[in-house]
Amino acid sequence: MAERHFHEELEEVNDLLLAMSSLVVEIFDDTLESFLENDAARAKKLLDDRGRVDSLEIAVEERCLSMIARHQPVAIDLRNIITAINIIRDLERIDDIAMDMCEEILDLGDLPRPDGMFHIPALAEAVKEMLHDSVRAFVARDPDWARAICERDDVIDDLEKRSEEDIIEFTRENPDTFETMLRYLSVTHSLERIGDHCTNIGEMVVYLTQAKIIKHHYDEQGGEEENE
């Protein structure tokens, strides 16, 4: 009876986590469109509605901690709870970063925007795919998919570096665009940080399904994963 009750509670936690994941994906997608389309009104609405993700994070964490105290789970049951706690923290941080990006969109205001976008659309699309796939890998409990997502981190880092270099070079040649470029630079850094959190989610999927704690970098010589 106690075991059945525990698994019913675990299903409720999973449902809340999926709802939180869907909400974060929706917020991030809207944030990207707000930036790329220079839609300050949408960014402001996102800021006005902030707090929804925090409420779900608190609900999931409280349930997880209560389940640990009351049921003292082990093995896969404990890994499920640890995974949920870690993933909600990454999702909450993604939401926070998206809100920071909305602030940057509002700060851009009527500042002139250059014709070029300095690889930001490509970076944004790569991070968007990474976020969507990390959530799908968790839902599917697919460790191979999760590992592939972790490997994309280098692609994100490379795009962020290229974007940063181009922005800095453009600012040197056009110092009057400094205020605009400062905010573009902030957006590229925010996207890279979201990519890191997607990698964390992928790592937790591997932990959940295979009981392995992995780093998202591989040994340069042997190509083997590093385990902790």
Side-chain angles (χ1 to χ4, degrees):
M1 178 64 115
E3 183 178 354
R4 185 178 70 184
H5 185 58
F6 171 82
H7 286 292
E8 287 174 353
E9 289 184 76
L10 196 59
E11 281 299 314
E12 291 175 2
V13 165
N14 191 57
D15 288 344
L16 285 170
L17 181 52
L18 292 179
M20 184 177 177
S21 301
S22 297
L23 180 57
V24 169
V25 167
E26 177 187 335
I27 288 170
F28 178 68
D29 288 354
D30 284 347
T31 300
L32 282 186
E33 290 182 18
S34 298
F35 175 76
L36 295 174
E37 298 174 8
N38 197 18
D39 190 343
R42 184 185 292 186
K44 185 178 185 306
K45 186 178 187 309
L46 287 166
L47 287 168
D48 290 343
D49 292 341
R50 72 189 310 169
R52 293 176 294 166
V53 171
D54 292 340
S55 297
L56 285 168
E57 181 198 18
I58 292 169
V60 173
E61 186 163 15
E62 286 180 345
R63 291 191 183 210
C64 286
L65 294 177
S66 174
M67 289 169 68
I68 291 173
R70 289 183 291 108
H71 298 286
Q72 299 181 347
V74 296
I76 183 63
D77 291 335
L78 181 59
R79 292 207 307 276
N80 267 294
I81 294 177
I82 291 172
T83 298
I85 291 173
N86 278 275
I87 288 180
I88 61 169
R89 289 174 180 167
D90 281 303
L91 290 171
E92 190 273 336
R93 286 300 302 131
I94 292 171
D95 177 60
D96 282 348
I97 296 167
M99 293 301 100
D100 290 343
M101 290 174 64
C102 286
E103 295 281 6
E104 296 293 352
I105 294 165
L106 294 184
D107 287 344
L108 278 166
D110 295 326
L111 290 173
R113 290 205 179 195
D115 293 332
M117 289 295 287
F118 313 98
H119 306 290
I120 294 177
L123 174 59
E125 185 61 28
V127 173
K128 177 179 177 178
E129 289 180 4
M130 201 172 178
L131 175 58
H132 284 236
D133 285 350
S134 65
V135 170
R136 290 170 184 150
F138 170 69
V139 172
R141 302 296 199 270
D142 189 331
D144 294 331
W145 197 355
R147 290 171 187 270
I149 291 163
C150 293
E151 291 175 2
R152 295 187 213 168
D153 188 56
D154 289 339
V155 175
I156 301 298
D157 289 346
D158 181 62
L159 283 168
E160 191 253 354
K161 181 180 178 182
R162 290 164 60 191
S163 178
E164 179 180 322
E165 289 173 348
D166 286 358
I167 288 171
I168 291 172
E169 181 62 26
F170 183 86
T171 306
R172 286 198 189 102
E173 296 173 357
N174 303 272
D176 57 312
T177 65
F178 176 79
E179 292 295 332
T180 299
M181 292 298 98
L182 186 63
R183 284 155 182 82
Y184 274 38
L185 197 59
S186 176
V187 167
T188 63
H189 291 166
S190 292
L191 290 169
E192 189 275 333
R193 288 163 58 206
I194 290 173
D196 286 343
H197 288 290
C198 295
T199 298
N200 292 345
I201 294 172
E203 291 171 352
M204 289 311 302
V205 173
V206 174
Y207 168 73
L208 171 63
T209 55
Q210 299 184 330
K212 291 183 179 180
I213 299 175
I214 66 168
K215 295 180 181 179
H216 59 271
H217 293 293
Y218 296 84
D219 182 79
E220 292 182 358
Q221 294 181 348
E224 299 294 331
E225 294 169 353
E226 298 178 18
N227 292 305
E228 293 182 348

